[in-house]
């Protein structure tokens, strides 16, 4: 496969980038319906890019690669998936089922979405607006009908006839060869995939060549289930079938080989099981922060604050999110008001920030990735207004090299410890400062917020809430003595710009 290097490149220059994930196939189908003519990556309306995408540093086009024909057949006939399709669309037909984007048949942009030329056109339109492009890379497996299965090689995990007879949903045959389906050790195998052997030198060489081709077409990759390729996880999953454990980790071979040719290319890891730091050490630029998601969804402000006390070198490498294509819709998990509070936290922390298509419209239906058509949902105007204000208020490129720290929330008088419900932190550089304060609870709460690093003196200070545009003035000596007094209704937050008046 030959690909031209794009005419325009746009490296992700923001150290804390805001990323927008698009489920590409159904997104393009919806646009075609809205605009009344077929739209693919080659002819996305410029006005749409200007109106909806320019707030972001990068666009992740999820699912652009050619999907497996056999994988599609499996997706159509899977009884469990059929129930998920019915939940999402109520009424669907086989044309709506396009197969999993993570059962990659060929790392070539789907012709249905505009092919390589369409992607090049879209990337150039983004680059002209200083927006980078991120695509998928799936290290653990490829489709069961991928061309590599026809080669005589050691790329895949192989099984025996006994494996096939005893575990027909974990192994399959291609001619005389028996291969393992791809898997996560905690779940059933992905029957539309074949397992790549992370320990195989030949598989590692193919990974490098594949990524070198991908790197000509985008500015970074989101690596699916990246932790599965680490030595300890792969050995635990596959045992002796994997062969001899190599001295050097998979990613420690792959990432430097790509960055040698594309130094600014970014690697983003989907990672779980508290393995984020390990993958950061192995070369990833950013790793999913699933721990924050779980604490926001299931725990209280104190637990969130515990997580935010981690070192800066760790915090700045995390991807914060409250929704993506794998998780249920944020509004359905958190509820409408709590989802706003969670979003205000997730989108104002150090590291990368991820918003999923439909999140800012308050959509509630999770779309299985095997479907190519979005459900019909009404826009939640209140959620849309909130995100419009939030995106304008979050600390942006002006704090690219800024500093960040937590603020103390102190108890007010005899108040019943409601200060513990408040999460507060600050961004600052030589000339600007932002204070983010969120009541992450069901209770009306108040606190005195101690903001370190400010010499208030005897000056007067203005605090402007960038969400509501309300302004508050305080005398410096009072701020020095008591801190900033705040009281917030449940799930409400403020993003303050601080200025000295005199």
């Amino acid at each position: 496969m030959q690909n031209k290097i794009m005419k325009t490149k746009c490296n992700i220059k923001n150290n804390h980038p805001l990323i927008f994930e698009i489920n590409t196939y159904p997104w393009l189908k919806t646009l075609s319906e809205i605009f009344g003519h077929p739209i693919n990556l080659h002819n996305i309306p410029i006005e749409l890019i200007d109106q909806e995408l320019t707030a972001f540093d990068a666009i992740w086009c999820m699912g652009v690669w050619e999907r497996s024909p056999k994988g599609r057949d499996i997706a159509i006939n899977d009884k469990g998936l059929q129930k998920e399709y019915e939940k999402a669309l109520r009424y669907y037909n086989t044309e709506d089922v396009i197969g999993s984007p993570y059962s990659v048949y060929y790392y070539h942009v789907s012709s249905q979405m505009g092919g390589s030329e369409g992607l090049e056109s879209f990337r150039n339109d983004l680059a002209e607006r200083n927006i980078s492009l991120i695509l998928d890379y799936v290290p653990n497996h490829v489709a069961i009908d991928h061309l590599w299965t026809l080669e005589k090689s050691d790329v895949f995990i192989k099984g025996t006839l006994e494996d096939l007879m005893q575990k027909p949903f974990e192994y399959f045959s291609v001619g005389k060869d028996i291969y393992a389906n791809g898997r996560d050790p905690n779940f059933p195998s992905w029957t539309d995939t074949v397992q790549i052997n992370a320990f195989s030198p030949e598989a590692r060489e193919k990974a490098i060549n594949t990524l070198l081709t991908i790197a000509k077409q985008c500015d970074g990759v989101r690596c699916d289930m990246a932790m599965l390729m680490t030595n300890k996880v792969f050995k635990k999953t596959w045992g002796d079938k994997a062969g001899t454990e190599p001295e050097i980790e998979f990613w420690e071979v792959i990432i430097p080989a790509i960055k040698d040719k594309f130094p600014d290319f970014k690697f983003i890891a989907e990672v779980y099981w508290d393995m984020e730091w390990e993958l950061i050490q192995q070369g990833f630029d950013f790793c999913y922060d699933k721990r924050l998601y779980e604490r926001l969804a299931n725990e209280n402000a104190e637990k969130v604050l515990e997580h935010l006390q981690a070192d800066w070198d760790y915090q700045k490498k995390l991807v914060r999110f409250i929704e993506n294509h794998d998780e249920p819709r944020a509004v359905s998990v958190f509820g409408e008001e709590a989802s706003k509070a969670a979003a205000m936290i997730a989108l104002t922390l150090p590291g990368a920030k991820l918003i999923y298509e439909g999140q800012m419209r308050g959509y509630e239906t999770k779309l299985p990735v095997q479907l190519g058509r979005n459900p019909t949902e009404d826009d939640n105007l209140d959620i849309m207004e909130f995100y419009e204000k939030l995106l304008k208020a979050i600390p942006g490129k002006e704090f690219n090299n800024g500093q960040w720290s937590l603020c103390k929330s102190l108890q007010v008088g005899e108040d019943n410890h409601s200060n513990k419900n408040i999460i507060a932190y600050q961004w600052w550089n030589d000339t600007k400062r932002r204070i983010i304060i969120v009541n992450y609870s069901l209770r009306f709460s108040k606190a005195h917020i101690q903001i370190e690093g400010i010499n208030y003196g005897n000056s007067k200070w203005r605090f402007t809430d960038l969400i509501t545009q309300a302004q508050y003035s305080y005398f410096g000596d009072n701020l020095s003595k008591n801190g900033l007094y705040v009281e917030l209704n449940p799930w409400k937050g403020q993003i303050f710009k601080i200025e000295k008046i005199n």
Side-chain angles (χ1 to χ4, degrees), residues 99-321:
S100 170
Y102 295 100
S103 173
V104 177
Y105 182 61
Y106 187 30
Y107 277 101
H108 184 276
V109 181
S110 167
S111 58
Q112 294 176 297
M113 296 186 230
S116 299
E117 294 78 11
L119 185 72
E120 178 177 8
S121 174
F122 184 49
R123 185 188 182 193
N124 287 332
D125 287 340
L126 294 177
E128 288 172 5
R129 292 155 179 81
N130 295 314
I131 305 170
S132 302
L133 177 66
I134 295 169
L135 300 177
D136 296 297
Y137 173 61
V138 188
N140 187 66
H141 48 263
V142 290
I144 55 172
D145 46 355
H146 194 284
L147 288 175
W148 291 348
T149 60
L150 303 178
E151 300 176 2
K152 299 299 180 184
S153 70
D154 295 319
V155 170
F156 301 117
I157 293 289
K158 293 184 177 179
T160 63
L161 183 59
E162 183 180 3
D163 291 325
L164 182 62
M165 297 297 289
Q166 293 182 353
K167 303 174 183 177
F169 296 104
E170 296 181 21
Y171 292 86
F172 68 100
S173 62
V174 178
K176 295 181 179 180
D177 293 314
I178 296 169
Y179 294 116
N181 292 120
R183 67 173 303 191
D184 168 336
N186 298 318
F187 295 95
S189 297
W190 296 298
T191 56
D192 56 354
T193 69
V194 53
Q195 177 66 54
I196 292 172
N197 187 349
F199 292 175
S200 160
E202 192 172 353
R204 292 181 173 200
E205 182 180 353
K206 283 188 178 295
I208 290 170
N209 290 335
T210 299
L211 278 163
L212 285 173
T213 300
I214 293 173
K216 295 175 183 177
Q217 302 173 73
C218 62
D219 306 294
V221 282
R222 177 266 193 187
C223 298
D224 184 70
M225 300 293 282
M227 74 284 180
L228 296 181
M229 307 303 275
T230 60
N231 282 358
K232 71 176 184 181
V233 173
F234 204 81
K235 187 70 174 178
K236 179 181 177 182
T237 306
W238 294 106
D240 293 339
K241 289 186 184 298
T244 304
E245 181 178 332
E247 292 184 9
I248 304 176
E249 291 277 357
F250 178 88
W251 294 114
E252 291 176 346
V253 171
I254 305 303
I255 294 176
I258 307 308
K259 294 214 173 195
D260 180 58
K261 298 287 195 301
F262 300 89
D264 298 316
F265 195 76
K266 301 300 182 188
F267 281 84
I268 300 170
E270 179 193 19
V271 54
Y272 307 112
W273 313 333
D274 295 325
M275 290 183 64
E276 296 87 354
W277 182 245
E278 289 180 53
L279 290 186
I280 290 169
Q281 296 300 103
Q282 290 179 24
F284 276 91
D285 297 287
F286 298 102
C287 291
Y288 270 34
D289 190 1
K290 177 70 166 179
R291 174 72 62 170
L292 176 67
Y293 173 84
E294 294 292 349
R295 292 194 174 187
L296 288 170
N298 303 308
E299 299 182 5
N300 59 23
E302 290 183 88
K303 290 295 184 181
V304 174
L305 280 167
E306 283 181 18
H307 182 64
L308 299 183
Q309 290 172 6
D311 290 342
W312 171 256
D313 287 340
Y314 177 64
Q315 299 262 16
K316 69 181 182 180
K317 295 281 190 174
L318 297 176
V319 181
R320 324 290 191 158
F321 59 88

Side-chain angles (χ1 to χ4, degrees), residues 17-66:
L18 183 61
I19 302 169
F20 187 49
E21 179 192 357
I22 291 169
N23 189 349
T24 312
Y25 191 102
W27 181 67
L28 292 172
K29 187 174 181 64
T30 298
L31 291 182
S32 299
E33 293 170 355
I34 291 172
F35 286 89
H37 61 87
I39 288 179
N40 60 37
L41 291 169
H42 204 288
N43 64 338
I44 293 173
I46 293 298
E47 63 267 27
L48 180 132
I49 297 175
D50 288 335
Q51 290 170 11
E52 298 192 10
L53 304 184
T54 52
F56 299 93
D57 298 296
I59 305 301
W60 166 19
C61 281
M62 190 273 284
V64 302
W65 307 123
E66 292 281 2

Side-chain angles (χ1 to χ4, degrees), residues 462-480:
R462 179 188 299 120
F463 286 67
T464 303
D465 184 348
L466 298 177
I467 299 294
T468 65
Q469 299 305 314
Q471 294 187 344
Y472 308 88
S473 297
Y474 302 95
F475 290 105
D477 55 355
N478 187 42
L479 290 168
S480 298

Side-chain angles (χ1 to χ4, degrees), residues 305 308-309 404-408 423-426 450 452:
L305 280 167
L308 299 183
Q309 290 172 6
W404 177 90
S405 67
L406 289 170
C407 299
K408 291 182 180 179
I423 296 169
Y425 45 86
Q426 62 170 330
Q450 283 193 338
E452 296 182 356

Side-chain angles (χ1 to χ4, degrees), residues 355-409:
I355 295 178
Y356 184 41
E357 170 205 352
Q359 177 180 333
M360 296 187 296
R361 295 181 180 273
Y363 290 166
E364 299 184 34
T365 303
K366 181 179 185 291
L367 186 74
V369 294
Q370 294 85 359
L371 292 179
R373 175 168 65 89
N374 280 318
T376 301
E377 293 190 71
D378 293 330
D379 292 341
N380 184 320
L381 298 181
D382 184 54
I383 291 281
M384 291 180 67
E385 182 182 3
F386 166 78
Y387 275 100
E388 182 179 0
K389 293 177 179 178
L390 180 60
L391 290 188
K392 293 177 181 177
I394 61 176
K397 291 185 178 69
E398 69 270 28
F399 294 98
N400 193 38
N401 296 309
Q403 300 183 67
W404 177 90
S405 67
L406 289 170
C407 299
K408 291 182 180 179
S409 301

